[in-house]
Amino acid sequence: MIDLGFSLAGLAGTLFKILYFAVVFGTIIIVILDNRNPLKTIAWLMVLIFVPFIGLIIYFFFGQDQRRERIISKKSYGNLLQKPRAEYQAQEAVQLPPNYNSLISLFRRTNQAFPYDGNDVTLFTDGYQKYSTLIKELYKAKDHIHINYYIFENDELGHLIRDVLIDKAKEGVTIRVIYDDVGCWSVPNRFFDEMRYVGIEVRAFLKVRFPLFTSKVNYRNHRKIIVIDGVVGFVGGINIASRYLKGVEWGQWRDSHIMIKGKAVHGLQTAFLVDWYFVDHTLLSSDRFFPRIESCGESLCQIVTSEPIGPWRDIMQGIVLAIGQAREYFYIQTPYFLPTEPVQTALKTAALAGIDVRIMLPDKADSKLTHLGSRSYIEDMLKAGVHIYLYKDGFIHAKTMVSDDCFSSVGTTNIDFRSFEHNFEVNAFMYDKTSALKLKQAFLKDQHVCEEVFYKNWVKRPIRVRVLESAVRVLSPLL
């Protein structure tokens, strides 16, 4: 009996090993057949081969590719775009900046991002500026408020914004809220239930619940959009959380956000309504959401979205093209710098061609792993002549670009694999001198509290630090 027990246990162990290695081997085949970016494929293969058990768990939760799924059918999307397209076509002949015709055309063709003229753009460089203005605009709402945020924190600021929304709902304003389920994991249900009790429609984006966990945790809605009555919109990097006001223990939380008044708000409204269709299965395309808007400024603006769906990485491809079109300078602020190969090549090529390329990164960050990975790319940039600045006055979370006093962008997209490949993102791309100079001045002001990195000093970092950074870099496509 004892021998029989040992035999059965041995047989069970052997069968488990065979099954285990069959699953690992099968997963490796799936990764290879997926025809992803080679760097990403290699990263997954290394994880699966060298730490197979952990690798299987990570791949199950984070690695599966659902890019071929559609959020909305072509017919429904076409119906939603009827009013914004009509507003775009009704514009008088728009003078497009010659240097950016191809960029505007790229976004128009791949993303249905219509270039609208006559917009007024207000730049905010901290939470106090943004939220004081936002609350005033929310109280002006007469018809509807649409909100889509990655993080809607259960703290003092979150309560304040929630209470403003409750006040407006009691006045009869229609309010819809989308929050990201992973971004708001720590927020109790009762926080959102208090909004639901007064008639506010609240939906979670891609709820992560067993047994449907898998890759849903990987594809997150990182957008920050507010649309008020279809005529005022907000977009940028600032979430709804008190840290955007109070900062971090080592300094301020430096971020950028914009308020748009003008026809470009139609782009933000479209982005919200597509996401609403995804979470609520309801197509909202009424004229009330796309009212007639007169010109109120000088900015030519496109609202561009990207998501892990479809054949194109719209925002990443646009950034590559924009860098290539720079003639004098190209400045970038990003909290995380894990660039894809096309973005790396574009930045280094521009610098080698004599363009003044500057990248501003945080000296300290909120994520140690991504921060280590980010620093591993600095040496290559410095070799090519890219200027790197480390922000010392806290944590810089801004996601901005500005070039040649005529092109600028503010949005939610980081310069990393996650934003380019996995997240649902949104950026405003602006083609006017006024907006560009605002972003340029903000960058140069921040530069005063930065330390510039020089190659001769950077290569003297301790070998253990360099090894650790390089090890994390191998995993950068997965971070």
Side-chain angles (χ1 to χ4, degrees), residues 298-334:
E298 299 178 350
S299 180
L300 176 66
C301 185
Q302 281 179 295
I303 303 299
V304 184
T305 59
S306 67
E307 49 272 321
I309 293 166
W312 313 118
R313 305 278 72 87
D314 304 72
I315 291 179
M316 186 199 77
Q317 290 174 282
I319 291 172
V320 170
L321 185 55
I323 295 169
Q325 292 175 330
R327 295 295 176 264
E328 297 180 12
Y329 72 88
F330 201 96
Y331 299 165
I332 295 175
Q333 290 178 318
T334 180

mmCIF file of all heavy atoms in Angstrom, residues 298-334:
data_model
loop_
_atom_site.group_PDB
_atom_site.id
_atom_site.type_symbol
_atom_site.label_atom_id
_atom_site.label_comp_id
_atom_site.label_asym_id
_atom_site.label_seq_id
_atom_site.Cartn_x
_atom_site.Cartn_y
_atom_site.Cartn_z
ATOM 1 N N GLU A 298 -7.894 81.724 -31.084
ATOM 2 C CA GLU A 298 -7.048 81.639 -32.270
ATOM 3 C C GLU A 298 -6.385 80.272 -32.453
ATOM 4 O O GLU A 298 -5.617 80.078 -33.403
ATOM 5 C CB GLU A 298 -5.944 82.706 -32.192
ATOM 6 C CG GLU A 298 -6.467 84.131 -32.135
ATOM 7 C CD GLU A 298 -5.355 85.155 -32.011
ATOM 8 O OE1 GLU A 298 -4.205 84.722 -31.775
ATOM 9 O OE2 GLU A 298 -5.628 86.352 -32.143
ATOM 10 N N SER A 299 -6.690 79.325 -31.587
ATOM 11 C CA SER A 299 -5.984 78.050 -31.628
ATOM 12 C C SER A 299 -6.646 77.066 -32.589
ATOM 13 O O SER A 299 -7.859 76.868 -32.551
ATOM 14 C CB SER A 299 -5.919 77.425 -30.234
ATOM 15 O OG SER A 299 -5.228 76.188 -30.266
ATOM 16 N N LEU A 300 -5.835 76.457 -33.440
ATOM 17 C CA LEU A 300 -6.255 75.342 -34.280
ATOM 18 C C LEU A 300 -5.921 74.073 -33.508
ATOM 19 O O LEU A 300 -4.767 73.863 -33.121
ATOM 20 C CB LEU A 300 -5.516 75.366 -35.615
ATOM 21 C CG LEU A 300 -5.774 74.193 -36.572
ATOM 22 C CD1 LEU A 300 -7.218 74.210 -37.060
ATOM 23 C CD2 LEU A 300 -4.811 74.249 -37.748
ATOM 24 N N CYS A 301 -6.918 73.233 -33.282
ATOM 25 C CA CYS A 301 -6.745 72.141 -32.319
ATOM 26 C C CYS A 301 -7.360 70.839 -32.821
ATOM 27 O O CYS A 301 -8.439 70.837 -33.422
ATOM 28 C CB CYS A 301 -7.392 72.551 -30.993
ATOM 29 S SG CYS A 301 -7.150 71.398 -29.634
ATOM 30 N N GLN A 302 -6.660 69.739 -32.562
ATOM 31 C CA GLN A 302 -7.164 68.388 -32.806
ATOM 32 C C GLN A 302 -7.165 67.604 -31.496
ATOM 33 O O GLN A 302 -6.195 67.662 -30.738
ATOM 34 C CB GLN A 302 -6.278 67.637 -33.803
ATOM 35 C CG GLN A 302 -6.487 67.967 -35.259
ATOM 36 C CD GLN A 302 -5.545 67.175 -36.153
ATOM 37 O OE1 GLN A 302 -4.333 67.353 -36.082
ATOM 38 N NE2 GLN A 302 -6.097 66.313 -36.983
ATOM 39 N N ILE A 303 -8.239 66.877 -31.241
ATOM 40 C CA ILE A 303 -8.296 65.971 -30.101
ATOM 41 C C ILE A 303 -8.052 64.561 -30.632
ATOM 42 O O ILE A 303 -8.825 64.042 -31.436
ATOM 43 C CB ILE A 303 -9.651 66.037 -29.383
ATOM 44 C CG1 ILE A 303 -9.950 67.466 -28.930
ATOM 45 C CG2 ILE A 303 -9.660 65.078 -28.193
ATOM 46 C CD1 ILE A 303 -8.954 68.043 -27.946
ATOM 47 N N VAL A 304 -6.962 63.956 -30.191
ATOM 48 C CA VAL A 304 -6.546 62.656 -30.713
ATOM 49 C C VAL A 304 -6.572 61.622 -29.590
ATOM 50 O O VAL A 304 -6.060 61.868 -28.503
ATOM 51 C CB VAL A 304 -5.134 62.734 -31.318
ATOM 52 C CG1 VAL A 304 -4.747 61.392 -31.940
ATOM 53 C CG2 VAL A 304 -5.048 63.850 -32.355
ATOM 54 N N THR A 305 -7.189 60.490 -29.880
ATOM 55 C CA THR A 305 -7.240 59.399 -28.901
ATOM 56 C C THR A 305 -6.387 58.236 -29.395
ATOM 57 O O THR A 305 -6.077 58.122 -30.577
ATOM 58 C CB THR A 305 -8.686 58.904 -28.699
ATOM 59 O OG1 THR A 305 -9.217 58.450 -29.945
ATOM 60 C CG2 THR A 305 -9.563 60.009 -28.130
ATOM 61 N N SER A 306 -6.011 57.383 -28.464
ATOM 62 C CA SER A 306 -5.364 56.120 -28.829
ATOM 63 C C SER A 306 -5.823 55.067 -27.847
ATOM 64 O O SER A 306 -6.211 55.370 -26.712
ATOM 65 C CB SER A 306 -3.838 56.252 -28.819
ATOM 66 O OG SER A 306 -3.361 56.466 -27.504
ATOM 67 N N GLU A 307 -5.815 53.818 -28.303
ATOM 68 C CA GLU A 307 -6.266 52.706 -27.490
ATOM 69 C C GLU A 307 -5.620 51.423 -28.015
ATOM 70 O O GLU A 307 -5.096 51.397 -29.124
ATOM 71 C CB GLU A 307 -7.798 52.577 -27.508
ATOM 72 C CG GLU A 307 -8.427 52.610 -28.888
ATOM 73 C CD GLU A 307 -8.744 54.026 -29.324
ATOM 74 O OE1 GLU A 307 -9.178 54.810 -28.486
ATOM 75 O OE2 GLU A 307 -8.539 54.345 -30.503
ATOM 76 N N PRO A 308 -5.649 50.366 -27.201
ATOM 77 C CA PRO A 308 -5.015 49.105 -27.614
ATOM 78 C C PRO A 308 -5.903 48.309 -28.563
ATOM 79 O O PRO A 308 -6.067 47.100 -28.423
ATOM 80 C CB PRO A 308 -4.823 48.376 -26.275
ATOM 81 C CG PRO A 308 -5.965 48.847 -25.448
ATOM 82 C CD PRO A 308 -6.164 50.284 -25.829
ATOM 83 N N ILE A 309 -6.494 48.980 -29.530
ATOM 84 C CA ILE A 309 -7.462 48.377 -30.443
ATOM 85 C C ILE A 309 -7.158 48.885 -31.838
ATOM 86 O O ILE A 309 -6.848 50.054 -32.026
ATOM 87 C CB ILE A 309 -8.908 48.752 -30.039
ATOM 88 C CG1 ILE A 309 -9.248 48.107 -28.689
ATOM 89 C CG2 ILE A 309 -9.918 48.324 -31.089
ATOM 90 C CD1 ILE A 309 -10.470 48.666 -28.047
ATOM 91 N N GLY A 310 -7.262 48.034 -32.821
ATOM 92 C CA GLY A 310 -7.026 48.471 -34.182
ATOM 93 C C GLY A 310 -5.566 48.386 -34.577
ATOM 94 O O GLY A 310 -4.690 48.088 -33.768
ATOM 95 N N PRO A 311 -5.268 48.686 -35.839
ATOM 96 C CA PRO A 311 -3.931 48.454 -36.379
ATOM 97 C C PRO A 311 -2.914 49.538 -36.083
ATOM 98 O O PRO A 311 -1.716 49.318 -36.255
ATOM 99 C CB PRO A 311 -4.180 48.367 -37.889
ATOM 100 C CG PRO A 311 -5.374 49.259 -38.118
ATOM 101 C CD PRO A 311 -6.225 49.102 -36.896
ATOM 102 N N TRP A 312 -3.349 50.756 -35.645
ATOM 103 C CA TRP A 312 -2.427 51.878 -35.549
ATOM 104 C C TRP A 312 -2.256 52.328 -34.107
ATOM 105 O O TRP A 312 -3.196 52.296 -33.310
ATOM 106 C CB TRP A 312 -2.904 53.050 -36.411
ATOM 107 C CG TRP A 312 -3.301 52.647 -37.790
ATOM 108 C CD1 TRP A 312 -4.542 52.761 -38.361
ATOM 109 C CD2 TRP A 312 -2.465 52.035 -38.787
ATOM 110 N NE1 TRP A 312 -4.525 52.260 -39.637
ATOM 111 C CE2 TRP A 312 -3.260 51.811 -39.932
ATOM 112 C CE3 TRP A 312 -1.119 51.660 -38.824
ATOM 113 C CZ2 TRP A 312 -2.761 51.225 -41.086
ATOM 114 C CZ3 TRP A 312 -0.619 51.067 -39.975
ATOM 115 C CH2 TRP A 312 -1.430 50.863 -41.089
ATOM 116 N N ARG A 313 -1.060 52.812 -33.805
ATOM 117 C CA ARG A 313 -0.775 53.443 -32.518
ATOM 118 C C ARG A 313 -0.748 54.947 -32.783
ATOM 119 O O ARG A 313 0.317 55.552 -32.944
ATOM 120 C CB ARG A 313 0.572 52.950 -31.953
ATOM 121 C CG ARG A 313 0.706 51.433 -31.832
ATOM 122 C CD ARG A 313 0.052 50.903 -30.569
ATOM 123 N NE ARG A 313 -1.387 50.937 -30.584
ATOM 124 C CZ ARG A 313 -2.156 49.983 -31.080
ATOM 125 N NH1 ARG A 313 -1.636 48.928 -31.645
ATOM 126 N NH2 ARG A 313 -3.462 50.091 -31.014
ATOM 127 N N ASP A 314 -1.929 55.549 -32.848
ATOM 128 C CA ASP A 314 -2.113 56.891 -33.410
ATOM 129 C C ASP A 314 -1.228 57.958 -32.771
ATOM 130 O O ASP A 314 -0.529 58.704 -33.463
ATOM 131 C CB ASP A 314 -3.583 57.302 -33.283
ATOM 132 C CG ASP A 314 -4.517 56.305 -33.942
ATOM 133 O OD1 ASP A 314 -4.667 55.204 -33.381
ATOM 134 O OD2 ASP A 314 -5.093 56.618 -34.992
ATOM 135 N N ILE A 315 -1.279 58.064 -31.433
ATOM 136 C CA ILE A 315 -0.532 59.137 -30.766
ATOM 137 C C ILE A 315 0.968 58.899 -30.884
ATOM 138 O O ILE A 315 1.735 59.837 -31.148
ATOM 139 C CB ILE A 315 -0.976 59.277 -29.298
ATOM 140 C CG1 ILE A 315 -2.415 59.836 -29.252
ATOM 141 C CG2 ILE A 315 -0.024 60.179 -28.517
ATOM 142 C CD1 ILE A 315 -2.987 59.997 -27.858
ATOM 143 N N MET A 316 1.414 57.663 -30.722
ATOM 144 C CA MET A 316 2.841 57.382 -30.861
ATOM 145 C C MET A 316 3.330 57.730 -32.266
ATOM 146 O O MET A 316 4.376 58.360 -32.437
ATOM 147 C CB MET A 316 3.137 55.913 -30.573
ATOM 148 C CG MET A 316 4.633 55.592 -30.573
ATOM 149 S SD MET A 316 5.029 53.844 -30.790
ATOM 150 C CE MET A 316 4.748 53.662 -32.556
ATOM 151 N N GLN A 317 2.576 57.337 -33.276
ATOM 152 C CA GLN A 317 2.977 57.630 -34.647
ATOM 153 C C GLN A 317 2.994 59.139 -34.898
ATOM 154 O O GLN A 317 3.864 59.654 -35.604
ATOM 155 C CB GLN A 317 2.027 56.930 -35.622
ATOM 156 C CG GLN A 317 2.201 55.419 -35.629
ATOM 157 C CD GLN A 317 1.154 54.709 -36.480
ATOM 158 O OE1 GLN A 317 0.018 54.528 -36.058
ATOM 159 N NE2 GLN A 317 1.542 54.317 -37.677
ATOM 160 N N GLY A 318 2.030 59.846 -34.306
ATOM 161 C CA GLY A 318 2.000 61.300 -34.443
ATOM 162 C C GLY A 318 3.200 61.962 -33.793
ATOM 163 O O GLY A 318 3.773 62.915 -34.335
ATOM 164 N N ILE A 319 3.612 61.451 -32.620
ATOM 165 C CA ILE A 319 4.781 62.006 -31.937
ATOM 166 C C ILE A 319 6.035 61.811 -32.783
ATOM 167 O O ILE A 319 6.868 62.717 -32.920
ATOM 168 C CB ILE A 319 4.940 61.359 -30.543
ATOM 169 C CG1 ILE A 319 3.809 61.820 -29.613
ATOM 170 C CG2 ILE A 319 6.296 61.704 -29.935
ATOM 171 C CD1 ILE A 319 3.770 61.094 -28.281
ATOM 172 N N VAL A 320 6.178 60.616 -33.359
ATOM 173 C CA VAL A 320 7.336 60.347 -34.218
ATOM 174 C C VAL A 320 7.367 61.323 -35.387
ATOM 175 O O VAL A 320 8.417 61.900 -35.722
ATOM 176 C CB VAL A 320 7.301 58.888 -34.729
ATOM 177 C CG1 VAL A 320 8.362 58.668 -35.811
ATOM 178 C CG2 VAL A 320 7.515 57.913 -33.577
ATOM 179 N N LEU A 321 6.214 61.542 -36.010
ATOM 180 C CA LEU A 321 6.139 62.454 -37.148
ATOM 181 C C LEU A 321 6.415 63.891 -36.720
ATOM 182 O O LEU A 321 7.137 64.631 -37.405
ATOM 183 C CB LEU A 321 4.760 62.351 -37.807
ATOM 184 C CG LEU A 321 4.539 63.140 -39.095
ATOM 185 C CD1 LEU A 321 5.577 62.788 -40.146
ATOM 186 C CD2 LEU A 321 3.125 62.904 -39.629
ATOM 187 N N ALA A 322 5.864 64.307 -35.581
ATOM 188 C CA ALA A 322 6.068 65.676 -35.089
ATOM 189 C C ALA A 322 7.543 65.941 -34.789
ATOM 190 O O ALA A 322 8.059 67.018 -35.101
ATOM 191 C CB ALA A 322 5.220 65.914 -33.835
ATOM 192 N N ILE A 323 8.217 64.972 -34.175
ATOM 193 C CA ILE A 323 9.647 65.143 -33.898
ATOM 194 C C ILE A 323 10.417 65.315 -35.201
ATOM 195 O O ILE A 323 11.297 66.169 -35.329
ATOM 196 C CB ILE A 323 10.193 63.942 -33.097
ATOM 197 C CG1 ILE A 323 9.549 63.878 -31.707
ATOM 198 C CG2 ILE A 323 11.717 64.033 -32.964
ATOM 199 C CD1 ILE A 323 9.823 62.583 -30.958
ATOM 200 N N GLY A 324 10.061 64.530 -36.205
ATOM 201 C CA GLY A 324 10.741 64.606 -37.484
ATOM 202 C C GLY A 324 10.504 65.906 -38.228
ATOM 203 O O GLY A 324 11.306 66.294 -39.090
ATOM 204 N N GLN A 325 9.405 66.604 -37.894
ATOM 205 C CA GLN A 325 9.088 67.858 -38.568
ATOM 206 C C GLN A 325 9.655 69.074 -37.850
ATOM 207 O O GLN A 325 9.541 70.195 -38.344
ATOM 208 C CB GLN A 325 7.570 67.990 -38.718
ATOM 209 C CG GLN A 325 6.989 66.960 -39.690
ATOM 210 C CD GLN A 325 5.469 67.007 -39.764
ATOM 211 O OE1 GLN A 325 4.804 67.356 -38.801
ATOM 212 N NE2 GLN A 325 4.924 66.647 -40.911
ATOM 213 N N ALA A 326 10.267 68.871 -36.685
ATOM 214 C CA ALA A 326 10.869 69.990 -35.949
ATOM 215 C C ALA A 326 12.040 70.574 -36.740
ATOM 216 O O ALA A 326 12.822 69.839 -37.341
ATOM 217 C CB ALA A 326 11.333 69.530 -34.575
ATOM 218 N N ARG A 327 12.155 71.901 -36.727
ATOM 219 C CA ARG A 327 13.237 72.577 -37.438
ATOM 220 C C ARG A 327 14.200 73.298 -36.499
ATOM 221 O O ARG A 327 15.354 73.505 -36.820
ATOM 222 C CB ARG A 327 12.638 73.584 -38.433
ATOM 223 C CG ARG A 327 11.824 72.936 -39.551
ATOM 224 C CD ARG A 327 12.709 72.071 -40.433
ATOM 225 N NE ARG A 327 11.946 71.351 -41.461
ATOM 226 C CZ ARG A 327 11.516 70.107 -41.333
ATOM 227 N NH1 ARG A 327 11.772 69.441 -40.211
ATOM 228 N NH2 ARG A 327 10.845 69.515 -42.291
ATOM 229 N N GLU A 328 13.706 73.697 -35.317
ATOM 230 C CA GLU A 328 14.555 74.428 -34.373
ATOM 231 C C GLU A 328 14.665 73.714 -33.027
ATOM 232 O O GLU A 328 15.769 73.501 -32.536
ATOM 233 C CB GLU A 328 14.015 75.848 -34.175
ATOM 234 C CG GLU A 328 14.042 76.700 -35.443
ATOM 235 C CD GLU A 328 13.493 78.090 -35.194
ATOM 236 O OE1 GLU A 328 13.317 78.462 -34.007
ATOM 237 O OE2 GLU A 328 13.222 78.805 -36.177
ATOM 238 N N TYR A 329 13.542 73.383 -32.425
ATOM 239 C CA TYR A 329 13.601 72.739 -31.117
ATOM 240 C C TYR A 329 12.393 71.832 -30.910
ATOM 241 O O TYR A 329 11.362 71.970 -31.582
ATOM 242 C CB TYR A 329 13.670 73.782 -29.989
ATOM 243 C CG TYR A 329 12.382 74.543 -29.743
ATOM 244 C CD1 TYR A 329 11.410 74.050 -28.869
ATOM 245 C CD2 TYR A 329 12.144 75.767 -30.375
ATOM 246 C CE1 TYR A 329 10.235 74.753 -28.641
ATOM 247 C CE2 TYR A 329 10.970 76.476 -30.142
ATOM 248 C CZ TYR A 329 10.021 75.955 -29.278
ATOM 249 O OH TYR A 329 8.845 76.643 -29.046
ATOM 250 N N PHE A 330 12.536 70.901 -29.976
ATOM 251 C CA PHE A 330 11.443 70.018 -29.567
ATOM 252 C C PHE A 330 11.634 69.704 -28.095
ATOM 253 O O PHE A 330 12.631 69.086 -27.707
ATOM 254 C CB PHE A 330 11.429 68.723 -30.381
ATOM 255 C CG PHE A 330 10.106 68.018 -30.368
ATOM 256 C CD1 PHE A 330 9.201 68.202 -31.402
ATOM 257 C CD2 PHE A 330 9.754 67.176 -29.317
ATOM 258 C CE1 PHE A 330 7.968 67.561 -31.400
ATOM 259 C CE2 PHE A 330 8.516 66.537 -29.305
ATOM 260 C CZ PHE A 330 7.620 66.726 -30.352
ATOM 261 N N TYR A 331 10.699 70.175 -27.242
ATOM 262 C CA TYR A 331 10.786 69.993 -25.798
ATOM 263 C C TYR A 331 9.699 69.022 -25.337
ATOM 264 O O TYR A 331 8.543 69.120 -25.761
ATOM 265 C CB TYR A 331 10.600 71.312 -25.056
ATOM 266 C CG TYR A 331 11.619 72.394 -25.365
ATOM 267 C CD1 TYR A 331 11.367 73.720 -24.991
ATOM 268 C CD2 TYR A 331 12.825 72.117 -25.999
ATOM 269 C CE1 TYR A 331 12.282 74.733 -25.253
ATOM 270 C CE2 TYR A 331 13.749 73.107 -26.270
ATOM 271 C CZ TYR A 331 13.467 74.418 -25.905
ATOM 272 O OH TYR A 331 14.378 75.418 -26.175
ATOM 273 N N ILE A 332 10.066 68.123 -24.436
ATOM 274 C CA ILE A 332 9.138 67.126 -23.903
ATOM 275 C C ILE A 332 9.215 67.109 -22.385
ATOM 276 O O ILE A 332 10.303 67.141 -21.805
ATOM 277 C CB ILE A 332 9.470 65.708 -24.422
ATOM 278 C CG1 ILE A 332 9.264 65.612 -25.937
ATOM 279 C CG2 ILE A 332 8.635 64.653 -23.710
ATOM 280 C CD1 ILE A 332 9.699 64.275 -26.515
ATOM 281 N N GLN A 333 8.052 67.045 -21.740
ATOM 282 C CA GLN A 333 7.967 66.747 -20.314
ATOM 283 C C GLN A 333 7.189 65.441 -20.155
ATOM 284 O O GLN A 333 6.113 65.286 -20.739
ATOM 285 C CB GLN A 333 7.240 67.865 -19.551
ATOM 286 C CG GLN A 333 8.017 69.161 -19.463
ATOM 287 C CD GLN A 333 7.244 70.251 -18.734
ATOM 288 O OE1 GLN A 333 6.045 70.416 -18.942
ATOM 289 N NE2 GLN A 333 7.923 71.012 -17.894
ATOM 290 N N THR A 334 7.737 64.509 -19.393
ATOM 291 C CA THR A 334 7.053 63.237 -19.160
ATOM 292 C C THR A 334 7.526 62.649 -17.838
ATOM 293 O O THR A 334 8.713 62.723 -17.513
ATOM 294 C CB THR A 334 7.305 62.246 -20.308
ATOM 295 O OG1 THR A 334 6.617 61.024 -20.050
ATOM 296 C CG2 THR A 334 8.786 61.961 -20.492
#
